[in-house]
Amino acid sequence: MAEHLVSIFGTEDRVNCPFYFKIGACRHGDRCTRLHTKPTISPTLLLSNMYQRPDMLASGTIDPQSNLDPREMQDHFEDFYEDLFEELSQYGDIESLNICDNLADHMVGNVYVQFREEDHAAYALQNLSGRFYAGRPIIVDFSPITDFHEAMCRKYEENACSRGGYCNLSI
């Protein structure tokens, strides 16, 4: 173990934010002490806080008074996914579409779409900017994510993460 730590000592990046680099979002936002270098082009777009769960309050917490059954929640999600996929498909071939089911402020409702070509992502960004969905502005940017497997918390994938919906790495 000590040998491993010695081999990586001094290689950690003290300038760039590792969370932003890995998941395209950071829990500290603009208050982060490290740089969030946004890519100028990428095959992946981040649509920030786009998905609104029907059992969420405006504060971003789950409404304990919500009486929605799991089937209603699933139907709502599937309708959103289908609507979004159809819209985004107009801009190019989609490699991956991920919607966060995360409760942390910087992740809640984030949508990540990876197009086959960077040009398709640029075209989508250009056409989505300034538009609204469900009465809310669409906030879209290029994302540094190119491999969603690397952006995922391994323990979260296995339902073993102790942070649950508040995991910082659960796309």
Side-chain angles (χ1 to χ4, degrees):
M1 176 66 164
E3 290 175 13
H4 174 68
L5 292 175
V6 167
S7 71
I8 64 170
F9 180 75
T11 62
E12 59 273 353
D13 191 341
R14 295 181 189 271
V15 176
N16 296 298
C17 177
F19 281 108
Y20 182 81
F21 182 73
K22 188 168 184 169
I23 62 172
C26 171
R27 66 181 170 193
H28 301 295
D30 293 338
R31 294 180 321 275
C32 187
T33 59
R34 297 182 186 187
L35 293 178
H36 295 174
T37 306
K38 294 184 179 186
T40 56
I41 189 76
S42 171
T44 308
L45 296 178
L46 166 61
L47 292 84
S48 298
N49 310 113
M50 187 170 183
Y51 178 62
Q52 299 296 303
R53 289 173 44 151
D55 64 341
M56 295 283 277
L57 296 169
S59 64
T61 58
I62 294 177
D63 182 0
Q65 306 299 321
S66 176
N67 293 325
L68 293 174
D69 71 34
R71 186 68 222 154
E72 286 178 281
M73 292 284 292
Q74 186 64 31
D75 289 345
H76 181 270
F77 175 80
E78 288 174 7
D79 289 345
F80 174 80
Y81 189 95
E82 184 178 328
D83 190 31
L84 189 62
F85 189 86
E86 286 178 16
E87 177 65 26
L88 294 172
S89 294
Q90 296 177 45
Y91 305 113
D93 296 329
I94 295 173
E95 288 287 317
S96 184
L97 179 60
N98 293 291
I99 302 169
C100 289
D101 187 25
N102 191 301
L103 301 173
D105 290 343
H106 66 291
M107 298 287 291
V108 67
N110 282 357
V111 173
Y112 295 85
V113 57
Q114 184 176 34
F115 289 92
R116 186 166 293 146
E117 303 289 333
E118 288 179 341
D119 293 351
H120 298 163
Y123 183 52
L125 183 133
Q126 178 184 14
N127 284 281
L128 294 171
S129 295
R131 289 188 48 199
F132 288 76
Y133 182 85
R136 299 178 62 236
I138 298 173
I139 302 166
V140 61
D141 268 312
F142 289 118
S143 172
I145 298 174
T146 56
D147 183 351
F148 285 99
H149 182 70
E150 289 301 315
M152 293 287 290
C153 170
R154 304 295 180 262
K155 289 183 178 181
Y156 187 83
E157 284 181 318
E158 299 164 1
N159 292 323
C161 182
S162 62
R163 295 181 183 204
Y166 292 97
C167 180
N168 285 317
L169 300 172
S170 56
I171 291 177

